[in-house]
Amino acid sequence: MKKGIKILLLFVVLVGCKKSNISAVDSSLITNAPIIANQLKLSGNGFSNNGLYPKLYTCDSLGISPGFQWLNAPATTTNYAITMHTIPPTGDKHVYFVLYNIPATTSSIPNNSKSIGIFGINTVDGKTTYTPPCSQGPGAKTYVITLYALNGEPTITVPNNQVTMDILLAGMKNKIVDSAVMSITYTRP
């Protein structure tokens, strides 16, 4: 009987060792992926996460691009990218802002900036600029602004006048070291 228990214990130990070796292999695969720091903080000129989007940045006013500030970027950050989009009830994504190759030395962008970073195209008019929200229908609309801290320039193989949000996101794969997301709402008058 004691011999049977010893064999059973040996089996349990061997199975446990085998499982820990598998875990070690799996964890080594995970450690090769970029680690998201979750420390980056983002705010806008006159708005913050879960707040109201100022009319100034919409089609109901001047429609200039918003200014942003951020802090706590990881030390490995070499550049930034910013996107802004909404998904209306129709389900198709509307992109208002695609900006990338923002230098790591930058921690803010002023309102209506056209000289920091490279603009990709928006989906509203297909131009390489910010396009102000002008959502149709009653009620508040939610917009999502995301700041990405990257450890390398995005891999972009098309001219900037063809860089969509999806192309940018694909080009940033495995280069994102942190991000900050801000949801804002706007109700048209």
Side-chain angles (χ1 to χ4, degrees):
M1 182 77 167
K2 287 183 181 181
K3 187 175 182 179
I5 292 173
K6 286 181 182 178
I7 291 173
L8 180 60
L9 287 174
L10 181 61
F11 178 74
V12 170
V13 169
L14 289 174
V15 169
C17 287
K18 186 173 182 181
K19 285 185 179 178
S20 68
N21 287 341
I22 292 171
S23 296
V25 170
D26 290 345
S27 66
S28 73
L29 293 174
I30 292 169
T31 58
N32 291 333
I35 297 170
I36 303 296
N38 292 318
Q39 64 190 27
L40 194 59
K41 304 294 180 211
L42 172 66
S43 62
N45 287 352
F47 60 98
S48 59
N49 190 34
N50 297 318
L52 299 176
Y53 199 50
K55 184 178 180 178
L56 175 66
Y57 308 123
T58 73
C59 70
D60 296 318
S61 183
L62 297 179
I64 62 173
S65 62
F68 300 102
Q69 306 80 42
W70 55 89
L71 50 92
N72 295 340
T76 57
T77 303
T78 61
N79 63 90
Y80 301 95
I82 300 173
T83 62
M84 177 179 167
H85 75 282
T86 190
I87 299 180
T90 58
D92 53 337
K93 178 172 51 180
H94 292 188
V95 179
Y96 301 93
F97 198 66
V98 175
L99 187 64
Y100 61 100
N101 286 0
I102 302 166
T105 54
T106 304
S107 60
S108 66
I109 296 177
N111 285 350
N112 210 28
S113 175
K114 295 180 179 25
S115 61
I116 299 174
I118 299 172
F119 279 95
I121 62 173
N122 66 69
T123 61
V124 179
D125 62 11
K127 294 182 179 176
T128 54
T129 186
Y130 169 79
T131 291
C134 201
S135 299
Q136 304 300 307
K141 307 297 185 283
T142 301
Y143 302 90
V144 179
I145 299 169
T146 307
L147 170 68
Y148 301 92
L150 309 172
N151 63 6
E153 287 189 9
T155 304
I156 306 291
T157 58
V158 297
N160 67 317
N161 65 354
Q162 296 175 14
V163 176
T164 64
M165 181 176 166
D166 291 337
I167 288 173
L168 176 62
L169 292 175
M172 296 188 310
K173 185 177 180 183
N174 297 324
K175 296 179 181 184
I176 300 170
V177 292
D178 207 349
S179 64
V181 178
M182 187 180 344
S183 292
I184 47 163
T185 58
Y186 180 72
T187 304
R188 294 197 66 198

